[in-house]
Amino acid sequence: MLKRGLTIVAALCGMVVAGEKSYAQSERKKEKSSFTETTGAPSLALSPQEQQLSESYFLEGMKFFVLEEYNKALDRFQRAFAISPTNAAVNYKLAETSLLLGNVRGALPFAKAALELEPKNPYYHLLLAQIYTNQQQYEDAIKTYARLTQELPNTEQYLFNLTDLYLAKNRLDDALRTLNQIETKYGLIEEISFKKQQIYLKQNKLDLALKEGENLISSNPEEVRYLLAQVEILAANKRVPDAVKMAEKALKVAPDNAFGRLMLADLLQQQGKTEEADAQLELAFGNPALDIDSKVKILVDYIRRLPNEKVAAQAIKLAELTTAAHPREAKAFAVAGDIYVNTDRKLPARDNYLKAVALDPGHFKIWQQIVLLDGEMNQNDSLINHSERALEFFPNQPMFWFYNGTAHLINKNYVKATKSLEYGRRLAGNNLELQLQFNLQLGDAYHSLEQYALSDQAYEAVLSLDPSNPHALNNYSYFLSVRGQNLAKAKAMAGALVAQYPDNPTYLDTYAWVLYKLKDYQEAKRLLEKAVASSSDATIIEHYGDVLYQLGQRELALKQWVRANQVGGASQGISKKIKDKKLYE
């Protein structure tokens, strides 16, 4: 803190001295002539009191300037200017303060006046050039920098600024000339050589650009960046064989340079040397020095070309190299998961996603992929576990409640299923599609809990949104038939469903069972014959046996019950039916 205070005091003293010197110079000029040396304007003769007052305002302005109280500083400089308008230092500080306050136009006349009054002061040139640049008056800025570097000694460092302005105005020859001046003064500089290369390339002077690169390489043959920069120029100009040679030269200098490997891989690929290109890619991907984002970008390009099997093998290999090289990067495992998904390898995809969220659990889409894969693989216990973990981070996402409830429903844990599904349904709000999905599952869950009124309400809610929904029509009508309730409604729904899907054995069975409950055994038999012809489902076969029994075909019925029992999955009473050769309802 003390050091900072001393610095401010020193700066303030320096500015005071500068101000006093300026006033003394003005006084000496007055003694020689009643006109200023530079402008020819009459110099105002100041009384000692006026001079003292002006200096006081100036010093007070400097104090506020150092304290960054620019409005107060501007006020004091303006008061000094009102007394001594031909003082260069006052004009300079007015310009500088105005610029800091964002008043670029207001700064310009004072900056010009300061330079006219003291043309040998380099800081006055620089401030005026900065103002011109801010106003995009590049030609005026160029003239100011040119005058500075031509007229004042030891100002060669500002040739860099002049070069940038020439480039901004696309004055390429002037930029080159200025860069050559810099090289004459300072020798070979990397930044200058690269700028000259870019200019030559814009001028379609490839040989000169390459020559400039060769000069850099000759200056430091072990600097791999110079070699790789040359590779880029050669590759961009379709000189692929030369670029390959230069890349190989670079990798001899720096064998572990991963970007060099990537560049060489791309060049070899352009030459159709796929195996060699893949080998270079693998070396690059196995190198932890190549950043994860560069690897992910390449892997995403592979994903776009999947599920092509030829691409898949290399994509998987690169993904594995990436996760091995970056075991603490979540995005490495996430992109590996994407690759496995797109090659239809669900288990390794899910496992990589799990590693990604273990490192960074805040990614909704990755958790979403995990539970989707659990569902696709019918791993209900995993689905319950992973959906619960996802809900720790995203408790307001209805999707995770849906999958959690569905998994509990499949596992016949109906109480937990309804709890999760009801909570998720509330979160779904006005999302009608989500509401529909939740109600479908709730209809099934509440039926299993024998809460039939709630089950019926859920199915009715689905059908109000989607009157042709197959799941609702099938389960709702079947459950009504099992309960023996509202069979007319059940028949209408099942009939509408079979009309839509006349060959679906499950829907045929549902309609047949409704008819069975209505004692329309002949029509039920016709439908079930069609169903068992295309299905080996035990429930459908058993139902067919029941219908045959009701029609008096008891031997045929027994054969169907035996067959249903052999298939597995029939009712709990199937063994008793077979043993007693009798239908129990």
Side-chain angles (χ1 to χ4, degrees):
M1 191 69 184
L2 181 60
K3 285 187 177 179
R4 187 172 183 274
L6 291 173
T7 303
I8 292 174
V9 172
L12 181 59
C13 292
M15 294 306 298
V16 169
V17 171
E20 290 176 346
K21 178 180 178 183
S22 178
Y23 279 106
Q25 289 173 341
S26 297
E27 289 302 306
R28 284 196 293 273
K29 289 176 184 175
K30 292 171 201 164
E31 291 173 3
K32 293 180 182 179
S33 169
S34 60
F35 296 89
T36 62
E37 294 177 4
T38 56
T39 64
S43 176
L44 296 176
L46 301 180
S47 67
Q49 293 82 1
E50 288 175 324
Q51 182 174 339
Q52 184 178 3
L53 182 59
S54 180
E55 289 179 357
S56 175
Y57 283 138
F58 183 84
L59 291 173
E60 193 174 357
M62 285 304 307
K63 179 189 74 174
F64 287 124
F65 186 90
V66 171
L67 294 173
E68 298 183 6
E69 297 183 35
Y70 297 124
N71 283 310
K72 291 181 180 179
L74 184 65
D75 174 73
R76 302 312 188 271
F77 293 142
Q78 286 172 336
R79 295 186 189 190
F81 177 81
I83 300 169
S84 182
T86 58
N87 185 281
V90 173
N91 278 276
Y92 173 76
K93 294 310 294 182
L94 274 169
E96 188 177 22
T97 308
S98 297
L99 186 62
L100 288 168
L101 288 169
N103 185 4
V104 183
R105 288 190 177 183
L108 182 58
F110 294 111
K112 292 171 71 174
L115 184 56
E116 290 172 2
L117 290 164
E118 283 193 27
K120 298 298 184 183
N121 190 318
Y123 297 105
Y124 296 176
H125 287 82
L126 294 173
L127 180 61
L128 181 58
Q130 181 185 350
I131 292 170
Y132 280 137
T133 302
N134 286 358
Q135 290 189 299
Q136 296 184 1
Q137 295 176 239
Y138 296 127
E139 292 296 345
D140 290 322
I142 285 170
K143 290 176 183 176
T144 305
Y145 276 119
R147 179 182 173 190
L148 169 65
T149 55
Q150 290 168 11
E151 295 182 3
L152 301 187
N154 303 317
T155 56
E156 292 86 354
Q157 67 267 36
Y158 302 115
L159 291 170
F160 291 93
N161 305 70
L162 184 57
T163 301
D164 291 339
L165 288 167
Y166 280 137
L167 291 173
K169 294 297 293 180
N170 205 34
R171 290 171 58 174
L172 303 182
D173 289 333
D174 289 327
L176 277 172
R177 175 178 49 78
T178 308
L179 290 170
N180 287 329
Q181 285 181 258
I182 296 172
E183 277 192 337
T184 300
K185 173 67 178 179
Y186 297 106
L188 189 68
I189 300 174
E190 175 185 304
E191 177 190 352
I192 300 306
S193 293
F194 284 139
K195 282 188 175 181
K196 287 171 71 176
Q197 275 189 318
Q198 294 306 310
I199 292 171
Y200 287 136
L201 290 172
K202 284 184 178 180
Q203 294 177 325
N204 294 318
K205 297 177 180 177
L206 178 60
D207 289 343
L208 290 177
L210 292 172
K211 178 63 178 175
E212 199 65 41
E214 290 169 7
N215 291 340
L216 271 177
I217 293 169
S218 298
S219 71
N220 188 356
E222 299 303 310
E223 179 53 75
V224 70
R225 289 184 301 111
Y226 300 161
L227 292 158
L228 294 179
Q230 201 79 333
V231 173
E232 287 185 358
I233 293 174
L234 289 165
N237 286 274
K238 310 300 182 185
R239 291 177 56 172
V240 176
D242 293 333
V244 168
K245 291 178 182 177
M246 187 64 67
E248 290 171 342
K249 182 177 179 181
L251 290 169
K252 287 180 181 177
V253 171
D256 291 332
N257 190 287
F259 283 103
R261 298 286 174 193
L262 288 183
M263 293 171 75
L264 181 55
D266 183 57
L267 292 165
L268 292 169
Q269 192 67 50
Q270 291 181 45
Q271 291 183 317
K273 300 176 180 178
T274 303
E275 290 185 9
E276 293 178 44
D278 287 347
Q280 292 299 323
L281 265 181
E282 289 166 23
L283 287 171
F285 270 68
N287 189 342
L290 180 61
D291 66 282
I292 182 65
D293 290 328
S294 295
K295 292 176 181 177
V296 167
K297 185 177 179 181
I298 294 169
L299 290 172
V300 167
D301 183 61
Y302 271 89
I303 291 171
R304 293 192 185 102
R305 291 182 278 159
L306 294 173
N308 185 314
E309 280 300 320
K310 292 181 180 178
V311 175
Q314 180 67 0
I316 290 171
K317 185 179 291 185
L318 294 179
E320 290 173 349
L321 287 168
T322 301
T323 55
H326 304 277
R328 304 302 303 167
E329 284 281 0
K331 63 181 69 175
F333 293 99
V335 75
D338 290 345
I339 285 172
Y340 283 118
V341 163
N342 283 276
T343 54
D344 200 28
R345 291 164 171 83
K346 292 181 174 62
L347 184 59
R350 196 271 310 274
D351 291 345
N352 273 276
Y353 286 139
L354 285 171
K355 290 175 182 177
V357 293
L359 292 167
D360 187 358
H363 288 279
F364 170 79
K365 288 186 176 180
I366 299 178
W367 281 112
Q368 185 180 43
Q369 286 286 75
I370 290 168
V371 296
L372 285 171
L373 288 166
D374 284 337
E376 290 176 9
M377 293 187 292
N378 296 314
Q379 295 188 1
N380 291 321
D381 291 340
S382 294
L383 181 54
I384 290 170
N385 177 36
H386 296 149
S387 59
E388 287 177 354
R389 286 174 56 193
L391 285 167
E392 293 176 13
F393 301 98
F394 303 99
N396 295 322
Q397 286 293 337
M399 173 192 172
F400 295 128
W401 290 106
F402 176 81
Y403 278 101
N404 183 262
T406 299
H408 281 303
L409 177 60
I410 293 169
N411 281 0
K412 299 183 179 181
N413 192 336
Y414 303 120
V415 173
K416 286 187 176 181
T418 54
K419 185 177 179 181
S420 291
L421 292 167
E422 283 286 7
Y423 193 84
R425 182 169 65 173
R426 288 195 294 272
L427 291 174
N430 295 324
N431 188 322
L432 298 182
E433 179 58 32
L434 272 179
Q435 288 283 351
L436 185 149
Q437 295 300 326
F438 276 108
N439 279 311
L440 282 174
Q441 304 298 64
L442 281 166
D444 295 354
Y446 279 128
H447 173 81
S448 298
L449 288 172
E450 298 183 1
Q451 297 183 31
Y452 301 132
L454 291 174
S455 176
D456 292 352
Q457 287 175 16
Y459 289 131
E460 291 289 352
V462 172
L463 294 172
S464 69
L465 294 173
D466 182 9
S468 301
N469 186 277
H471 183 123
L473 290 173
N474 182 71
N475 288 20
Y476 192 11
S477 60
Y478 184 72
F479 292 152
L480 285 174
S481 70
V482 169
R483 284 149 45 192
Q485 296 176 347
N486 207 345
L487 293 176
K489 182 178 180 68
K491 180 180 178 182
M493 289 190 293
L497 183 60
V498 168
Q500 290 183 67
Y501 305 96
D503 299 318
N504 186 296
T506 298
Y507 301 160
L508 288 167
D509 174 66
T510 296
Y511 192 22
W513 199 245
V514 173
L515 295 173
Y516 176 89
K517 289 289 186 173
L518 289 167
K519 302 187 184 305
D520 187 352
Y521 301 126
Q522 286 293 346
E523 183 61 15
K525 176 187 175 186
R526 185 185 69 82
L527 294 171
L528 285 168
E529 284 175 343
K530 186 176 181 181
V532 296
S534 59
S535 173
S536 58
D537 182 89
T539 299
I540 297 175
I541 298 169
E542 184 179 0
H543 283 170
Y544 183 41
D546 292 354
V547 169
L548 291 171
Y549 188 91
Q550 295 287 10
L551 289 170
Q553 301 176 30
R554 299 188 177 185
E555 289 301 320
L556 290 176
L558 180 60
K559 288 182 180 180
Q560 297 304 318
W561 292 338
V562 170
R563 181 184 168 204
N565 192 42
Q566 290 172 342
V567 169
S571 70
Q572 292 181 355
I574 190 72
S575 297
K576 186 172 178 60
K577 287 181 184 180
I578 294 170
K579 179 182 177 182
D580 297 343
K581 300 180 181 180
K582 183 179 178 181
L583 176 62
Y584 293 94
E585 293 188 289

